[in-house]
Amino acid sequence: MPGSRPTRLHAALALARAAAATALSRRRPEPGPPPAAVEPPRELAHPCTVTVPAGARADQVFALLVDPARMPDWLLQHDGWVGEPPVGFAGDVRFRQRIRLMGVPSEVRWTVTGVVAGRAVWFEGTAPMGITVGFFLSVTPAENGSVIRFDGGVEGGSADGPLGPMVARNLADAMRKSLAALGRAAAESRRGDSGRASNPQSPPQNGNAGRRGETGREEDAARGRREKPAPIRFERTGTDIDAWTPVIVGAGQVTEHSNEAAGGDPVSLAVRALRLAAVDAGSEQILHQADLSGYVASVSWQYPDGAALIAEAVGAHPDTTVQTTIFGGDGSLRLLNEVAAGIAAGRAGIALIGGAEAASTAAAAERAGRTLDWPVQADGTGPTRTVGRDDQANNDPETAAGLVAPIYLYALIETAVRGRLGLTPDEHRDRITRLWSGFSTIAEGNPHAWQPRAQTPESLATPSAANRMIAAPYPKLLTANLQVNQGTGIIVCSAAAATEAGIAQDRWVFLHAGAHATEEWFVTERADLASSPAIKAVGDAVLGHSGLTIDEVGHVDLYACFPSAVQIAALELGLPLDDPARLTVTGGLTFAGGPGNNYSSHAVANLVPLLRANPESSGLATALGWYLTKHAATVLSARPPVREFRDIDADPRLPRPPARRSLSSWTGPAVVEAFTVPYERSGDPGPAIITALTPAGDRVVLTSPGLDGDPIGWRIDVDGTTFAVADTAPHDLPPPPEPPLTVEWHGPVTVLRLHRPAALAKAIADFEADGRARVAVLTGTDTAFSAVTDDGLPVTTKPLIAAVEGAALAGGCELALAADLIVAAEDAVFGLPGAKSVAGVHLPRAIALETALTGEPLPARRLYDLGLINRVTPSGKALATALELAAAVVANAPPTFQRSR
């Protein structure tokens, strides 16, 4: 936030105060010309302006504009208040709001920096990734009502790069729709309609994207699967394959160094790549035969339904359009896997997948002050289905410390990797520059690479004008290059559709398996910054389903935005780091190019010809989104798969380590775990950002104006948000705290083990989503089941068995009695003190009253006699008996339980 307000705003406020008791308080303006528009107090680095006419008087519009209770009626980006909503909008009022910036839910901390009574209000706020957002909203009387104007923009943080113009354009488009809604709401108020404004254009709230996707799939299935043709003979192997086996038949890539805007928007680049893919398939007619169109959402220019524009451009009339969420490098493989799963299920026969970025052209237009005349779509346009998950990128401690952009977080993670390896800064710099030099050599041989020139480790390690420091230990040439114009087109068919289209089998590349998983969402809440259980989970899932080991995969492309991402992925997948040819077929995002969400589509397009040339080999591509947060992987081969393709959700069985609490301040000792130093464009270092672990295993995020030496492993004494170095000898990092609940998997049986009072909602949701899970067993320790006092057992449609040892008291007793079946040790006791506790339990009236009035616990044998417990076992045998009971339940068909419930 700026330290002082501009003098022009002071003058405007003084004028407003002087006039407040006269002209602005009158019900109607005096005859004469309308007042001039109030000018915004300042212009942000990436400004935008929108003007919308309204059919209501200016005072009516302004009354809604400054009423916080009415803001959700018209501000389409509004996702809810954080904490208490503001009572009113007056100068210096501060509030926190969740809004959608570029479609992503983000918390913005607003300050009302000025109000001109009856005329204008100015908000300035800080958003994730260090972005400052400005909203200046003014209303001017007009002949037929009024004119509402928005002057705003963004600057700072990651908006100082290529993202800034993109955010500003998106903001302008969203505010145009919001101001139209504001005008409608004011007009309805004028007519005496005190209800909430109708808003059919409002975008779906966060969290619905996944459910919308599931609903879309259910609707596709409800339309009925097409009749499956007979198996297809694959001539090279002499085997018959399922007619709905998904195969990639064509792949094309475009790298456009020209910044001419005409025909250079992302969809146009994707269409060019798809036409090349059709040539690659040997069938240019296949494009207009597609019954599904998919688009990897672009960041440089956003389309409500880019897949529909692709279909229109190639003359296709698909039943379904699918698009990924706005942010996420995992989106390209998530979309490919989703499309392949739909083909394997018979919901589509021929699918087009396009993706592209035109960030280089967009940045050139911004520098030249040119307006981009690229395609727009009507309000309300949207795809049939959206794939992926978006959520707020940073938590409060990260935001407070300025740890708010990918470069800072990956640089922080890099030092955690170094700490894990026990290397000095010089040793580690040598390690990562040799790695990236090898990637640049691969890019030099990639005809589609954006900057195909090999770099030596020395050139990468040496800061220069072309390789300035960004965030220690990364100079520019160790970071992703987003200002590219690149596109891909991939055509996926069922084996039957490919045969019918006359596509030669030597063009076929089979999709064997796909998977996706999500890390602990916020980086500073992860147990270990230098590992990724989610990458390991997706790797294990796709390799296991394909019947492969990592050593049997001949071609690999790891998502390579920063060296830390590659090192962690190689570690989790068991790949050697000293052979770049085992890690990439593209050259990574620095040298091959970082086209927004679409990098891994280029990896797939590069794998296709390699696999055709060596049909007995296999290929693996990985993708990730945010900060090693969202992951996806795909296995491909020109050899037919041994199993039907599956898109595996690895989250339900992801063995998650316990999360750490993330703190903005702390008092006491801590051990430094990781750090980074962001650099200004001038080359000057900024304050260091440090993460340190407390003795209890929490993580505190701090800033420091300067660091001398290598602080990893130092013990520091923290006092709130400052610290002093106590000991520079290396110290072990405190482990994360014990989790309140652990999960074990025994085939189709899931065991949920409570260690201390815990909410079960997430564990039950994962169990419910796990397609392999049929029954869950809920248990505790050897001496206590649980004494939780939360809202009870979350709802599940699958059977749940409680295995009780020791005491099950209060909420723990309610949990046990809410299960479908109960197994209890003979010495187990159940306590339901208080009438409220026994209200929902089916006890005989006299027993219920006795329990409520005396508070005495009931032994397991007594409850067994009353018919509330299924089995009583010797002490220590409750879990084993519950597992035997679960096996008996699993032996029956699932509908048996559904009907009996």
Side-chain angles (χ1 to χ4, degrees):
M1 299 291 296
S4 62
R5 301 273 63 83
T7 56
R8 184 162 45 173
L9 178 58
H10 287 150
L13 290 173
L15 178 63
R17 284 193 293 268
T22 56
L24 292 177
S25 64
R26 297 171 182 169
R27 298 177 63 87
R28 288 183 172 82
E30 294 286 346
V38 180
E39 292 297 319
R42 76 184 186 99
E43 185 175 279
L44 297 174
H46 301 287
C48 53
T49 298
V50 174
T51 302
V52 173
R57 296 195 316 267
D59 61 324
Q60 294 168 328
V61 174
F62 190 78
L64 265 66
L65 187 60
V66 293
D67 182 357
R70 298 300 302 273
M71 182 174 275
D73 295 352
W74 62 267
L75 186 66
L76 305 191
Q77 304 101 304
H78 178 84
D79 242 14
W81 305 108
V82 179
E84 292 297 319
V87 176
F89 293 141
D92 294 326
V93 167
R94 299 174 183 270
F95 62 97
R96 297 163 67 187
Q97 182 184 28
R98 283 179 65 85
I99 68 172
R100 301 182 74 89
L101 283 174
M102 297 187 75
V104 178
S106 307
E107 180 183 316
V108 179
R109 302 180 180 207
W110 293 107
T111 299
V112 182
T113 56
V115 179
V116 179
R119 298 289 305 283
V121 59
W122 171 253
F123 305 90
E124 224 174 80
T126 55
M129 297 191 286
I131 297 174
T132 294
V133 186
F135 275 34
F136 181 79
L137 296 154
S138 60
V139 189
T140 304
E143 183 177 352
N144 295 317
S146 58
V147 173
I148 314 171
R149 176 170 165 168
F150 166 78
D151 292 276
V154 295
E155 67 181 20
S158 57
D160 286 341
L163 190 64
M166 306 171 198
V167 177
R169 284 195 299 271
N170 182 268
L171 181 61
D173 183 59
M175 288 307 299
R176 177 178 58 81
K177 299 171 185 176
S178 290
L179 296 190
L182 174 62
R184 290 193 298 269
E188 290 175 1
S189 296
R190 180 188 63 183
R191 292 192 297 268
D193 182 0
S194 60
R196 296 177 69 84
S198 172
N199 184 10
Q201 308 295 335
S202 180
Q205 299 294 304
N206 180 57
N208 289 341
R211 291 193 292 272
R212 186 167 62 251
E214 295 298 329
T215 301
R217 283 189 284 276
E218 291 165 5
E219 290 171 352
D220 287 346
R223 286 197 289 267
R225 287 161 50 125
R226 60 193 72 191
E227 184 178 350
K228 183 184 289 189
I232 304 297
R233 173 59 59 95
F234 190 66
E235 299 298 339
R236 183 168 58 81
T237 60
T239 55
D240 289 338
I241 60 174
D242 189 288
W244 288 344
T245 299
V247 293
I248 295 174
V249 298
Q253 300 184 68
V254 170
T255 299
E256 178 57 76
H257 285 277
S258 168
N259 287 328
E260 288 296 325
D265 66 284
V267 155
S268 295
L269 294 178
V271 169
R272 285 168 57 186
L274 278 164
R275 296 193 190 282
L276 293 174
V279 173
D280 180 54
S283 173
E284 297 187 40
Q285 299 301 312
I286 198 169
L287 294 178
H288 69 254
Q289 297 170 358
D291 50 9
L292 186 150
S293 180
Y295 183 65
V296 181
S298 53
V299 179
S300 52
W301 189 265
Q302 293 177 29
Y303 311 89
D305 188 359
L309 291 175
I310 285 174
E312 181 182 1
V314 301
H317 300 86
D319 301 321
T320 303
T321 59
V322 189
Q323 187 160 300
T324 64
T325 51
I326 292 176
F327 286 110
D330 62 318
S332 51
L333 294 189
R334 287 292 307 270
L335 179 58
L336 177 63
N337 294 339
E338 160 115 349
V339 166
I343 288 173
R347 295 193 293 267
I350 300 174
L352 311 179
I353 300 176
E357 287 293 351
S360 179
T361 298
E366 174 73 13
R367 290 191 297 269
R370 298 195 308 265
T371 299
L372 291 170
D373 186 21
W374 285 350
V376 295
Q377 291 173 288
D379 293 349
T381 301
T384 308
R385 191 161 64 247
T386 302
V387 177
R389 172 188 173 187
D390 272 334
D391 208 340
Q392 184 172 331
N394 302 100
N395 60 19
D396 284 347
E398 293 166 9
T399 301
L403 198 60
V404 289
I407 178 60
Y408 303 149
L409 283 148
Y410 281 99
L412 180 88
I413 291 168
E414 189 68 68
T415 60
V417 171
R418 177 169 68 80
R420 178 175 184 162
L421 295 170
L423 299 177
T424 67
D426 288 345
E427 291 169 339
H428 193 67
R429 181 171 59 248
D430 181 60
R431 169 188 169 94
I432 60 179
T433 53
R434 281 189 289 109
L435 173 66
W436 236 232
S437 174
F439 272 59
S440 73
T441 301
I442 300 295
E444 190 174 46
N446 175 5
H448 305 289
W450 185 255
Q451 43 186 19
R453 185 166 66 89
Q455 299 278 349
T456 65
E458 293 74 22
S459 67
L460 295 175
T462 306
S464 65
N467 192 33
R468 64 183 178 86
M469 288 299 298
I470 305 291
Y474 291 153
K476 184 176 182 180
L477 289 178
L478 293 184
T479 69
N481 177 17
L482 302 180
Q483 288 200 23
V484 299
N485 298 332
Q486 293 179 300
T488 59
I490 298 172
I491 303 172
V492 189
C493 300
S494 67
T499 300
E500 185 177 348
I503 297 174
Q505 290 185 348
D506 63 5
R507 313 312 292 161
W508 296 10
V509 172
F510 296 90
L511 291 120
H512 284 219
H516 56 273
T518 306
E519 209 68 72
E520 189 72 45
W521 191 265
F522 297 120
V523 171
T524 57
E525 295 176 14
R526 295 174 191 165
D528 180 9
L529 298 184
S531 66
S532 174
I535 291 179
K536 186 177 189 314
V538 297
D540 288 348
V542 293
L543 293 173
H545 187 78
S546 303
L548 297 168
T549 66
I550 191 63
D551 293 335
E552 293 171 321
V553 178
H555 307 284
V556 176
D557 194 273
L558 302 181
Y559 194 93
C561 48
F562 301 93
S564 56
V566 172
Q567 293 169 90
I568 290 173
L571 169 73
E572 300 293 3
L573 296 173
L575 288 164
L577 206 65
D578 58 357
D579 182 6
R582 283 289 288 145
L583 304 175
T584 184
V585 298
T586 61
L589 280 77
T590 303
F591 310 109
N597 304 326
N598 198 49
Y599 165 78
S600 293
S601 293
H602 290 270
V604 170
N606 277 10
L607 284 169
V608 165
L610 291 172
L611 296 172
R612 287 172 179 162
N614 186 0
E616 292 305 310
S617 66
S618 299
L620 168 69
T622 70
L624 64 85
W626 282 127
Y627 322 121
L628 280 171
T629 306
K630 306 183 288 183
H631 301 273
T634 306
V635 168
L636 309 163
S637 178
R639 183 185 67 253
V642 295
R643 298 179 184 173
E644 179 182 299
F645 177 88
R646 277 190 61 203
D647 181 14
I648 303 165
D649 181 357
D651 274 333
R653 296 205 172 188
L654 175 56
R656 297 181 186 278
R660 297 183 187 267
R661 282 198 312 160
S662 182
L663 309 174
S664 295
S665 64
W666 158 254
T667 300
V671 178
V672 175
E673 168 199 34
F675 74 99
T676 185
V677 179
Y679 281 75
E680 305 291 341
R681 286 185 174 270
S682 63
D684 296 327
I689 304 172
I690 294 168
T691 62
L693 302 179
T694 72
D698 298 331
R699 181 179 282 114
V700 59
V701 188
L702 304 165
T703 59
S704 172
L707 278 179
D708 293 323
D710 175 16
I712 293 178
W714 289 1
R715 188 175 67 80
I716 59 176
D717 289 326
V718 185
D719 183 10
T721 59
T722 63
F723 67 90
V725 177
D727 185 358
T728 59
H731 290 72
D732 292 335
L733 298 179
E738 181 190 20
L741 176 148
T742 55
V743 185
E744 305 163 12
W745 296 278
H746 302 261
V749 178
T750 300
V751 176
L752 307 175
R753 191 184 295 273
L754 294 166
H755 299 293
R756 61 179 186 268
L760 287 169
K762 178 65 169 65
I764 291 294
D766 284 344
F767 163 65
E768 185 75 8
D770 186 353
R772 293 169 285 178
R774 297 273 299 280
V775 182
V777 175
L778 180 64
T779 190
T781 68
D782 292 339
T783 59
F785 176 70
S786 176
V788 296
T789 56
D790 60 7
D791 293 333
L793 186 67
V795 175
T796 175
T797 62
K798 301 176 182 179
L800 180 67
I801 302 172
V804 182
E805 297 275 358
L809 305 175
C813 183
E814 292 184 61
L815 274 181
L817 296 179
D820 300 292
L821 305 172
I822 304 175
V823 176
E826 283 202 347
D827 58 354
V829 292
F830 295 76
L832 285 166
K836 182 178 178 181
S837 296
V838 300
V841 179
H842 300 296
L843 287 171
R845 181 176 181 276
I847 301 299
L849 286 173
E850 179 184 347
T851 302
L853 294 172
T854 67
E856 291 293 325
L858 294 172
R861 181 64 65 178
R862 179 69 171 130
L863 291 177
Y864 176 79
D865 293 338
L866 292 170
L868 291 180
I869 288 180
N870 298 83
R871 308 276 173 86
V872 176
T873 73
S875 178
K877 299 294 184 182
L879 178 58
T881 303
L883 289 172
E884 293 173 0
L885 185 58
V889 173
V890 167
N892 291 300
T896 303
F897 175 73
Q898 297 290 348
R899 287 194 298 269
S900 65
R901 251 196 158 185

